[in-house]
Amino acid sequence: MNMAIMAPLKIYLGDLTHDTIIVSTEAFPLNVGYIAAYCKKRFGDSVDITIFKYIKDLENAIMNSPPDILGLSNYCWNHRIGLEMFRVLAKCNPNALRVWGGPNFPLDLPSQEEFLRNYPEVDAYVPVEGETGFSNLVEIVLNAKSKEEIRSSVLSKTVPACITRQHDGRLLYGDYNRIRNLDEIPSPYTMGLMDKFFDGKLTPMLQTNRGCPFSCTFCVDGTDLVKQVNQFSIERVRTDINYIATHVPENIHSMHISDLNFGMMPRDIDVCQTISEMKHKYGYPLNVLATTGKNSKEKIIKAVKLLDGALRFTMSVQSMDQKVLRNIRRDNISVDHMLALGPTIKEAKLSTASEVILALPGETYASHIQTLKDLVQARLDSIQIYTCMILPGSELYTPTERKKWGLKTKFRVLPRDFTELNGRKVVEIEECVVSSDTLTFDEYVELRMIAFSIGMTSNGGIYGALLKFLREKGIDVFELFLQTIKRLNTSHPNIRYVFDLYKKATIGELWNTPEDLEKHYQDEKEYQKLLNQEVGMNVMQFHNALVTAEYMNEWTEYMLDLSSLLMQDKLNSDAQIAHQFTAITNYIRGTCSNVLKRDRMFVNPEFEFDYDVQSWLNDPQEIPIEHFKLSTPTKVAFKLTEKQFKLVEDELDVHGDNSTGRGQVIKRVPINMLLRTPVIVN
């Protein structure tokens, strides 16, 4: 290769996160780390590459020493900040090449052309995996005659695996081939490229494979471009896991796994075994954040079991309605088989979760309610209900799909994703479905209210003992969730206050156009509301955290009162059931009392029990509670360990001791590490 430019070529690569409030996207910048490692392999000392995660660090670097090439990842959460950073660079070095890459890019050709017309700051786009395309751009730049001709050298050529913009604005599309053997990409970890990100704020990320065999229309990974699943070797994965475990700071307890279907591959058992060995040797990770596979659940159960509670078993059904599943091209995923594994999962003592998306194509109020009922009936520990986002890069984003289903959308601030740069308030925006030909906006709002009740009450098993008892006595648990909405006027004023806040926030976060939203927050007073976290938060997480931290006692009593009403006939007619119910209610009061406040170690509730509720709750055989009667009443205290306290405090230090930060704690801390443990008082 003949290189005309005086080496080394200065390259900045960024996978930026907003951190105005807290670090919003805390995963290591592994994606651009792979690109840097691949470029170093191809070009050696001819390139000088610096990787960035934080906005201010990149801004300062550009201002003080602008690069020859700036490559930035483009996701919905850093789209606008990336664009603004290109504008900063254009002022400092107009000859620099500006490259975007990532999944936040339309699928259809007309939308791609419109997208790039709207962003003239972008010289080239790498639409799928970045290593090949970006390195091809670097090779062309290295052969430019001078640094003044860097951009022009690229803008006149078709570059493999890239979309480039000609001088006249027309686009050139290069052919794309994915890297099949991922070991061709050196490890950014063992090369030391990730070392500076072990900073006590970011969470290490692991990737073992790339690609997804499924074709879900709402997902950016549902395209044929990434249908083939390619892998790193198991030896490479083990080396990366060991490197992470021996470098991670003491206050970081989580690990991200970016695989799209973790646990489905037979060798994922080996991956989990390696992680388990690191956990026992180094005490890390305590929490594994991953999307478990959509099929092959028996394999996933084995894999998750090895992690001993660090990873939750997730059943991402999105909908239980067969028509809706066909509409989103997800009918090749066996939902019935997935739920049939419930007893096996419980026997393995695994924590289970399911994800549902509200307002999918063809979904009705009745079909969504039925999905929720079916999942509640399946006895999952946690049911997370999300709004349907319309993501560039997904099939659902295309004009054809929007028209086909009559999708009506609104726009809202992506939680915590805003900052000031280049004289502007930069606010990341997402588009979400709020109605369709089969779902009205009022129905959307009511379903969001029910979603909050389910999310709060079924969150990871906080009220597991109560729900198990209701089921044991033949009570429809789903009716409990509905009653939280129907009987709000009978609840504590603090509960009515939270529901009122939640409903107002659900409606108030929505805007008709992204332009209106963006213009609104250029006003300093309105932007200050984002800074004060009055608006712009994850509505579900924020209010969930608000209840958990401030109003847990009131919520608990509301759930117990409603349960008492549902069981009124049984409680009045059977003294033994009434006795059992008292034991259950006191157990619930004890385990979920004051789990997030600073004084939580100093107040340990105590109750006297006639039943061994803990053994009954953990019994996989579903033996009725009457068989767990104690021979003598026993006093039990409910306590948190020092380990539990430290884990939560470490997460609060990273994410902030406020409703936003506490929402992140609830999301990341395993439920058994959040709730109090019963201890017999001697």
Side-chain angles (χ1 to χ4, degrees), residues 206 208-209 211-212 214 218-219 221 255-265 268 288-295 297 300 304 311-318 330 355 386:
L206 176 72
T208 81
N209 65 56
C212 181
F214 304 105
F218 57 84
C219 180
D221 294 300
M255 174 192 287
H256 283 281
I257 298 179
S258 65
D259 301 8
L260 298 171
N261 294 282
F262 185 66
M264 268 181 59
M265 302 293 176
D268 288 343
V288 176
L289 304 167
T291 301
T292 54
K294 301 164 187 66
N295 281 338
K297 291 297 178 180
I300 299 168
V304 174
L311 174 62
R312 180 176 290 177
F313 185 91
T314 305
M315 300 179 182
S316 300
V317 299
Q318 314 311 359
R330 199 180 169 88
E355 295 178 349
Y386 300 100

Side-chain angles (χ1 to χ4, degrees), residues 19 31 46 94 111 115 124 130 138 159 167 218 263 268 275 323 352 355 362 369 394 480 586 614 665:
D19 59 354
N31 48 3
S46 298
S111 295
F115 181 96
V138 171
V159 183
H167 295 285
F218 57 84
D268 288 343
I275 294 174
K323 182 179 178 181
T352 58
E355 295 178 349
I369 287 288
S394 70
L480 173 64
N586 286 338
Q614 180 83 350
V665 171

